[in-house]
């Protein structure tokens, strides 16, 4: 049985989709590295010509991605000290009353390791978005913070609400957390869910789950022009890559 936070991503995942591109406004003006492996554009008399993928280039591009992991109470004893991750994101809360019992332990272990860390909230649109945002902030703020800590909304279910209602709910939660903390939260969801419910959310960096293609080989859904993190596998834990460097990821988190 899939974990609750992945159930919707799996439900809304068509068999032939998973596309996503990368990195946010932070990388504007730099060279896109995640979408070159399929088709390149050659300047031949102004016409676009397909060329064969270059395995060496693809390997180099994959090496440039920043690897990370995310966990919850399903992985209570995850060994962060032995992990190769350069960033870690952990579940803090869900709804208006649930607090992940392993949050404090993971938060402290990530601090010891010294990598980029973040906390996410699993949303239920049947509840008041401000109440859920306040619950999340109360739990996260109960732990020592440091510059660069990321904040994330995990939205994967509708609770029977309409597209417009879910979209408005997400905007309310995100804007409230941003106003309270000065941090622009990341938005996490499955690719198809984000494509359906994510209109107007492009100001929030995108963390998107899509397992049908190799890491980094997707295009962004809905209004996003780029992606920040790609969750490309959940076996045996959730694996992610970012087109941002660790320092660039930190720049999206809490200010100094």
């Amino acid at each position: 049985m899939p974990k609750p936070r992945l159930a919707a991503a799996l439900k809304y995942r068509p068999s032939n989709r998973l596309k996503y591109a990368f990195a946010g406004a932070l990388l504007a003006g730099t060279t896109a590295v995640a979408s070159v492996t399929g088709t390149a554009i050659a300047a031949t008399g102004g016409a676009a010509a397909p060329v064969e993928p270059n395995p060496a280039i693809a390997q180099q591009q994959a090496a440039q991605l920043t690897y990370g992991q995310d966990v919850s109470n399903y992985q209570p004893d995850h060994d962060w000290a032995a992990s190769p991750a350069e960033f870690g994101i952990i579940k803090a809360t869900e709804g208006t009353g649930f607090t992940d019992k392993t949050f404090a332990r993971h938060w402290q272990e990530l601090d010891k390791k010294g990598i980029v860390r973040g906390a996410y909230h699993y949303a239920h649109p049947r509840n008041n978005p401000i109440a859920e945002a306040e619950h999340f902030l109360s739990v996260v703020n109960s732990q020592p913070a440091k510059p660069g800590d990321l904040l994330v909304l995990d939205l994967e279910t509708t609770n029977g609400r309409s597209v417009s209602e879910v979209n408005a709910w997400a905007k309310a939660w995100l804007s409230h957390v941003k106003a309270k903390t000065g941090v622009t939260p990341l938005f996490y969801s499955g690719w198809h869910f984000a494509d359906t419910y994510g209109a107007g959310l492009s100001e929030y960096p995108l963390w998107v789950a899509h397992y049908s293609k190799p890491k980094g080989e997707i295009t962004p859904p809905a209004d996003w022009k780029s992606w920040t993190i790609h969750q490309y596998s959940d076996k045996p834990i959730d694996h992610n890559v970012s087109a941002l460097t660790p320092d660039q990821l930190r720049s999206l988190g809490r200010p100094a």
Side-chain angles (χ1 to χ4, degrees):
M1 186 174 75
K3 294 179 292 184
R5 72 176 300 263
L6 291 176
L10 296 174
K11 176 181 177 182
Y12 286 95
R13 184 183 61 201
S15 58
N16 293 316
R17 62 160 169 82
L18 187 58
K19 299 176 180 177
Y20 90 159
F22 78 92
L26 209 74
L27 291 185
T30 64
T31 303
V33 300
S35 59
V36 188
T37 57
T39 303
I41 302 300
T44 55
V51 297
E52 291 299 318
N54 186 321
I57 293 176
Q59 184 177 11
Q60 181 181 12
Q61 290 164 351
Q64 292 173 340
L65 297 171
T66 301
Y67 173 69
Q69 297 172 339
D70 67 276
V71 301
S72 68
N73 55 298
Y74 288 95
Q75 301 85 23
D77 301 317
H78 183 61
D79 188 353
W80 286 108
S83 169
E86 295 180 83
F87 66 91
I89 304 177
I90 57 180
K91 183 175 183 178
T93 53
E94 180 173 339
T96 57
F98 175 82
T99 299
D100 193 301
K101 62 184 179 181
T102 64
F103 172 67
R105 183 252 173 193
H106 286 308
W107 196 246
Q108 293 161 12
E109 290 300 310
L110 286 169
D111 184 46
K112 292 177 185 177
K113 189 174 179 66
I115 62 174
V116 183
R117 66 181 181 178
Y120 75 83
H121 172 80
Y122 187 96
H124 287 284
R126 64 174 176 263
N127 299 321
N128 182 287
I130 306 307
E132 289 210 7
E134 284 294 320
H135 174 51
F136 172 68
L137 292 175
S138 70
V139 172
V140 172
N141 290 338
S142 71
Q143 297 296 320
K146 63 181 182 181
D149 288 343
L150 304 173
L151 304 177
V152 184
L153 173 64
D154 177 350
L155 182 59
E156 306 177 40
T157 185
T158 68
N159 292 144
R161 301 314 195 252
S162 68
V163 171
S164 61
E165 288 172 330
V166 172
N167 181 261
W169 194 102
K171 289 175 179 175
W173 191 101
L174 291 162
S175 63
H176 184 78
V177 170
K178 182 176 181 178
K180 285 282 189 174
T181 64
V183 178
T184 301
L186 279 71
F187 178 84
Y188 169 93
S189 194
W191 192 98
H192 189 70
F193 196 98
D195 194 48
T196 302
Y197 298 94
L201 298 180
S202 60
E203 68 179 277
Y204 301 99
L206 177 65
W207 175 15
V208 63
H210 209 323
Y211 305 154
S212 302
K213 286 189 178 179
K215 51 191 175 185
E217 295 187 13
I218 58 171
T219 54
D223 293 347
W224 285 277
K225 304 301 182 185
S226 56
W227 55 268
T228 297
I229 299 174
H230 173 199
Q231 186 183 90
Y232 62 90
S233 175
D234 65 344
K235 302 186 183 306
I237 64 169
D238 293 343
H239 299 280
N240 306 270
V241 288
S242 177
L244 301 180
T245 66
D247 285 342
Q248 288 170 331
L249 278 173
R250 282 191 178 93
S251 73
L252 301 177
R254 289 189 185 269

